[in-house]
Amino acid sequence: MGLLDDKVVLVNGGSQGVGAAIARAAVREGALVAVTGRRPEPGEALVAELAAAGGKAMFVRADLADAEQAKSSVTQVVAAYGRVDCLVNSAGLTSRGTLLDTTPELFDQHIAINLKAPFFAMQAAVADMVGRKAPGTVVNIITSSAHGGQPFLAPYVAAKAGLIGLTRNAAHAHRFDRVRINGLNIGWTATEGEDTTQKTFHGAGDDWREQAAARLPMGKLGQPDEIADFVVFLLSERSGVVTGSVIDWDQNVFGGLD
């Protein structure tokens, strides 16, 4: 449909999982895409895949736990493509910790990746948009666990709940700059990272996806390509004037009780 024709889209944390799916969907809709990641192998492999399909993409190596590298991810794309029209913050750390066993170091890691990195990436991207007096869009990938979450996700929930507040604050601050900023609270999703998490922290077997799907209302986990299509819609002009919205993209109804 060409929803993102000639738009420059930066997907932070875009070398695998939901971020990679968003990059593929953005290219399919006509965007010039940049993806970031710590490891060059998956990032460069994705860029090669997108180029082979006729798209234009670049990989930026960045450790988003470093605020300066989060900002640099934007400035490097501006240097290469001339601007950033759309930013997606999809990087996430999901390592486990409860209120009682989370160390200050683990807490700081979650804040750095799940809150500080989006803050400073948005700072740089919105500065570019405002400086050019051009409209732009941002989508923050958050989590339905930000409503409260499981006990073993205490630092993750704390950081992601902060990202909800940041999303709304920034959207309010820049609505007259025509910069729209929205968030997506995604539920349990089938990604490479989730596979590693389930096996590392929960002793899951290779069939954990099938077992999990059988317990879920829709009979399946969230799918990265479906999330990606929704993100592209939010990035595009077809989502109209919507800003400051944090949307639950999940099959559980929060607040509903059986």
Side-chain angles (χ1 to χ4, degrees):
M1 295 173 61
L3 291 176
L4 297 176
D5 273 347
D6 300 320
K7 298 292 186 184
V8 176
V9 177
L10 168 59
V11 185
N12 269 333
S15 60
Q16 63 179 17
V18 170
I22 293 167
R24 293 184 183 100
V27 164
R28 190 173 62 244
E29 293 297 334
L32 291 72
V33 170
V35 296
T36 70
R38 286 180 301 168
R39 296 183 297 121
E41 294 82 4
E44 291 170 356
L46 176 62
V47 166
E49 173 196 326
L50 297 174
K56 185 172 183 180
M58 66 179 288
F59 172 69
V60 176
R61 188 174 186 178
D63 181 354
L64 298 173
D66 180 345
E68 290 302 319
Q69 292 189 49
K71 291 195 288 185
S72 177
S73 70
V74 176
T75 57
Q76 288 184 64
V77 175
V78 171
Y81 289 157
R83 66 191 191 279
V84 169
D85 300 303
C86 309
L87 169 67
V88 180
N89 286 307
S90 66
L93 178 68
T94 60
S95 51
R96 290 357 193 183
T98 70
L99 179 66
L100 299 182
D101 65 23
T102 294
T103 63
E105 293 76 17
L106 178 61
F107 185 85
D108 288 346
Q109 290 169 13
H110 277 271
I111 294 297
I113 293 292
N114 295 324
L115 181 56
K116 195 173 182 180
F119 187 105
F120 286 101
M122 282 200 294
Q123 182 185 80
V126 173
D128 173 66
M129 296 165 188
V130 171
R132 293 183 290 109
K133 295 182 170 57
T137 51
V138 177
V139 174
N140 291 320
I141 304 300
I142 312 179
T143 173
S144 59
S145 292
H147 289 290
Q150 297 88 336
F152 54 77
L153 291 178
Y156 176 69
V157 169
K160 289 291 194 177
L163 184 53
I164 287 178
L166 172 61
T167 297
R168 290 175 172 145
N169 179 271
H172 176 73
H174 292 285
R175 66 198 192 282
F176 283 104
D177 294 315
R178 295 180 296 149
V179 176
R180 298 189 299 110
I181 303 172
N182 295 292
L184 203 60
N185 281 338
I186 64 172
W188 202 1
T189 305
T191 64
E192 304 98 315
E194 183 62 17
D195 182 66
T196 299
T197 295
Q198 289 298 318
K199 291 176 178 177
T200 301
F201 294 103
H202 302 287
D206 290 336
D207 63 344
W208 72 266
R209 294 179 185 82
E210 292 76 14
Q211 292 188 27
R215 302 194 303 269
L216 293 171
M218 306 300 167
K220 66 176 185 177
L221 287 99
Q223 301 299 307
D225 61 327
E226 295 170 352
I227 295 169
D229 287 344
F230 197 77
V231 171
V232 164
F233 171 76
L234 288 174
L235 293 174
S236 78
E237 294 177 3
R238 291 301 301 156
S239 54
V241 299
V242 174
T243 193
S245 290
V246 178
I247 301 162
D248 289 333
W249 199 97
D250 201 350
Q251 53 194 300
N252 294 305
V253 180
F254 298 94
L257 297 172
D258 293 322

